[in-house]
Amino acid sequence: MGYRVEVFDKNLNRVGEIDEWLSLDFTVRLYQEGSWQLLIKAGTPQSELIEKGGGIAIWQDGVSKPVLSGQVATYQKYWTKLQHTGPGSLYIAGKCHNTLAYRRLAFPDPTKSVTNQYQASATRLVKSTTSRATTVYNELNKALGPGALTNRRISGLNISVPNLTIPGVADSLRMDVIGAKMEEWLADAAVAYRFIYNPQTQKIDLDIFKPRDISKEVRFATELGNLREFIWTLSAPDITRAIVGCGGEGKERYFYQKIDSDSEAEWGLQTEVFVDRADIPLKTGKNGAATLVTTIQEDGLEDIGLDPDGNEWTQKLADAKKALQAAIDKGQENYDVEYDAVKYATDEAKPVAVTYYMGVIEDAADTALEQGEKSGNFQIYPIDTDTCQFGRDYYVGDKITVSVDGTEYVDVVREVTVSVDDGGNTQDVAPKIGQQGSGEPLNLYKTVYDMQKKLRKLQSRM
C-alpha cells in the first residue's frame, strides 16, 4: 500500500506534493492528537515547499480522504559526515489537526472576552440528553469555529452540525482544555471526531462520526497471516490483603482488613498493604466493633461531626438542635426538654455516621486491592496484507477482532502508527487495540487466562 504527501501553505492552499523522502512516520489517534515526522533531503525544491504555518496531508492509495493532516511545528536540520552528507537533511514534524481542540480552553462564558469572564458564572454546565455529537460540535464551534469570538476563530474551518443521535453528556466547565474534556466525553468510542484537510475546498473539515463495528469483517490472527507478533502475559497480584487504619489513638485505633481470597487461592500468595486513613473518625469500641470518634462540647453535648454534605447526620438531629437554639435565643430559663432531645437524637445518629464511614473504609480497601490486582495483558502487532489494510479496511475508532490461541477478543482500534519507506511503501503498521499501550494498562485477566487454558488443552492433545 503506497502513500503520498501533499503540502499546503499557511492559507491552506495546496502548493505541491512531496514524493521523495528518507522516512515518513505518523500516528493516528482516536479523538486525540496524532503526530507526523518527515525526513527529506535539504536543498531540494520539495524541501522548500513546507513553510511555517503550512502543513501536510498524508494520502493512502485507494482511500478517498487523507488518513492524517496537520500543521508543521518543528524544523530541524541534519548534517553528518557519514549519512546526511552534502546539503544535509531536513526533519519536519508536527501534530495532526486534532490539536486544534487542545489549543482552546472552555470559557465559563464563551460569548465574553477573557477580561469579562468575571461576569460569568463560576462554572458552565454542559448537559445534553440527546447527542454527545452535538455537544462536541457546540463546544468546538464556540471555542474556535464561526460561533466563537472574532479573535478566537480559526480561519479555514468547515464546521457543520452532525446528524447523529448518541447518548448525551453532563459536565461542568471552567477553563478546561477542550480536547482533554472531549476525551472524557468520548471514552466509550460511541462517537468520535477528527479535523482533516479537504483538498477540494482547501479548508479543514470537522468530521464527527460514529465508529463502525466491523469485528466480523476485520480479524487479526496468525492463521490469516496478518499478525507479525503477539505477546500475552499473566501477572500475579501485588496486593491480596488491604488493611485500613482509621482514627483513634493507641489501642483504640480501628483496623479493617479485606482479602482477595480468590487470588490467594489461585496464586498461592499473600501480600499485605497498609492504608493509612487516620482521617476517618472511627475507633475501636466494645467487643472490637467500630464506634464514632466524638468530642464533648462546653455545653456537655457530644459533637459527632457533619455528613459529607456539611449537614447533620439525620433530620431528627437537625430539628432537635434547631429547637434547642431557638429556646436559648428566646431566653427560656429551662430548656431541659430540648437539651435531652438533642442527646437522644445524637445517640440515634451515631450508627448512621458509622455505617457511612464503614463504606468509606471498604472503598479505600477496594481501591488498594484494585491497584495491586492480578493482571492479564496482551499486545498484538498486525501487518498490512492484501486483504486487510489500515485506512482502506479499518481506521481508528473501528471495533475489530483479535484471535489468539483460540480466544477471540473484540475491542476498539485507538491508535495506529505507520512507517513508510523512501519509496512510499508501508514498512510497518502498529495498531493499538483497546487500552494497549496507554497510561491505563489493559487488564484482560479473564481473556488472557482463557488463552492460557486453551493453549494447555491444545498442548495436552499433541
Side-chain angles (χ1 to χ4, degrees):
M1 179 62 70
Y3 287 87
R4 58 190 175 87
V5 176
E6 287 189 343
V7 182
F8 53 84
D9 63 18
K10 62 183 179 181
N11 296 315
L12 300 177
N13 297 314
R14 186 185 183 280
V15 295
E17 183 173 316
I18 295 177
D19 55 12
E20 292 182 5
W21 55 74
L22 300 174
S23 66
L24 169 64
D25 300 280
F26 62 92
T27 299
V28 184
R29 294 187 174 95
L30 180 61
Y31 53 72
Q32 291 181 323
E33 295 173 292
S35 60
W36 57 272
Q37 304 89 37
L38 181 65
L39 184 64
I40 59 178
K41 291 181 180 180
T44 65
Q46 292 190 4
S47 68
E48 303 298 326
L49 288 176
I50 302 180
E51 61 179 29
K52 293 178 182 177
I56 66 169
I58 302 173
W59 290 82
Q60 184 181 23
D61 293 346
V63 180
S64 60
K65 292 183 178 181
V67 292
L68 178 141
S69 66
Q71 284 181 292
V72 62
T74 301
Y75 283 93
Q76 191 172 55
K77 178 70 178 292
Y78 276 94
W79 187 91
T80 63
K81 188 175 181 180
L82 298 177
Q83 184 179 3
H84 304 281
T85 57
S89 302
L90 190 62
Y91 171 83
I92 308 170
K95 295 181 178 179
C96 78
H97 275 124
N98 284 2
T99 195
L100 294 175
Y102 292 81
R103 296 177 181 176
R104 284 290 184 268
L105 301 176
F107 285 3
D109 186 346
T111 66
K112 292 182 171 58
S113 65
V114 174
T115 54
N116 287 325
Q117 290 301 311
Y118 73 91
Q119 299 173 354
S121 301
T123 59
R124 175 163 55 89
L125 298 180
V126 173
K127 187 172 183 180
S128 169
T129 57
T130 56
S131 179
R132 260 175 293 171
T134 303
T135 304
V136 169
Y137 161 80
N138 286 336
E139 287 304 315
L140 292 172
N141 183 46
K142 290 184 289 189
L144 50 84
L149 295 175
T150 303
N151 67 349
R152 299 186 77 207
R153 293 175 192 166
I154 302 295
S155 61
L157 285 187
N158 178 28
I159 296 181
S160 58
V161 181
N163 185 23
L164 290 174
T165 302
I166 309 293
V169 64
D171 205 348
S172 61
L173 300 173
R174 181 175 177 81
M175 295 301 181
D176 299 282
V177 176
I178 292 177
K181 265 298 177 184
M182 293 198 301
E183 286 185 37
E184 299 175 15
W185 300 345
L186 308 179
D188 63 358
V191 67
Y193 77 93
R194 68 170 183 164
F195 285 102
I196 197 74
Y197 180 69
N198 185 329
Q200 279 74 42
T201 61
Q202 299 190 82
K203 292 187 176 184
I204 301 169
D205 291 340
L206 171 61
D207 182 13
I208 300 177
F209 61 96
K210 185 176 182 179
R212 303 172 298 175
D213 183 351
I214 53 174
S215 55
K216 289 182 171 55
E217 293 82 27
V218 176
R219 295 175 69 251
F220 294 107
T222 53
E223 63 269 21
L224 296 177
N226 57 10
L227 268 185
R228 183 187 75 234
E229 179 184 354
F230 73 81
I231 303 169
W232 59 251
T233 307
L234 286 175
S235 299
D238 295 323
I239 299 169
T240 63
R241 301 186 177 199
I243 300 170
V244 183
C246 303
E249 298 180 0
K251 293 181 180 180
E252 289 190 333
R253 188 165 197 191
Y254 182 74
F255 295 99
Y256 171 87
Q257 176 176 259
K258 189 163 189 177
I259 300 175
D260 182 353
S261 302
D262 291 342
S263 293
E264 288 191 349
E266 180 182 352
W267 287 90
L269 300 171
Q270 295 181 358
T271 307
E272 298 173 338
V273 66
F274 181 69
V275 182
D276 188 356
R277 289 300 306 269
D279 60 306
I280 298 176
L282 292 183
K283 64 181 181 179
T284 304
K286 294 179 181 179
N287 302 320
T291 187
L292 203 61
V293 175
T294 63
T295 57
I296 303 300
Q297 303 174 133
E298 291 182 0
D299 57 7
L301 292 173
E302 197 171 14
D303 181 5
I304 64 171
L306 302 173
D307 71 11
D309 297 322
N311 302 316
E312 301 293 344
W313 285 102
T314 65
Q315 187 60 47
K316 184 176 180 180
L317 178 56
D319 293 341
K321 285 189 173 183
K322 185 177 181 181
L324 174 60
Q325 188 60 48
I328 295 173
D329 292 343
K330 288 179 181 178
Q332 290 181 205
E333 293 185 5
N334 188 317
Y335 44 80
D336 289 349
V337 173
E338 291 83 359
Y339 186 90
D340 289 342
V342 172
K343 291 179 63 176
Y344 295 141
T346 298
D347 288 339
E348 291 179 355
K350 286 181 185 178
V352 177
V354 170
T355 299
Y356 167 77
Y357 286 122
M358 289 301 297
V360 174
I361 292 172
E362 188 165 358
D363 288 343
D366 287 340
T367 299
L369 290 174
E370 287 171 5
Q371 290 175 346
E373 68 183 345
K374 58 191 178 185
S375 61
N377 193 315
F378 74 87
Q379 297 89 41
I380 67 164
Y381 301 91
I383 55 175
D384 271 3
T385 64
D386 290 340
T387 58
C388 184
Q389 296 178 351
F390 167 70
R392 188 193 69 186
D393 301 304
Y394 71 95
Y395 194 70
V396 292
D398 291 338
K399 189 176 291 186
I400 56 88
T401 297
V402 179
S403 179
V404 174
D405 286 340
T407 299
E408 291 197 341
Y409 172 68
V410 177
D411 210 331
V412 173
V413 179
R414 296 187 179 272
E415 177 179 317
V416 179
T417 297
V418 180
S419 295
V420 184
D421 65 18
D422 55 2
N425 301 309
T426 305
Q427 282 186 312
D428 186 58
V429 178
K432 290 182 179 178
I433 314 301
Q435 300 303 313
Q436 176 184 336
S438 72
E440 297 294 328
L442 177 63
N443 192 351
L444 300 170
Y445 191 83
K446 185 179 184 305
T447 300
V448 181
Y449 183 68
D450 289 342
M451 292 177 188
Q452 183 191 45
K453 287 196 301 183
K454 290 183 179 181
L455 182 60
R456 284 177 174 173
K457 288 181 180 179
L458 178 63
Q459 290 173 335
S460 68
R461 298 192 194 106
M462 297 175 65

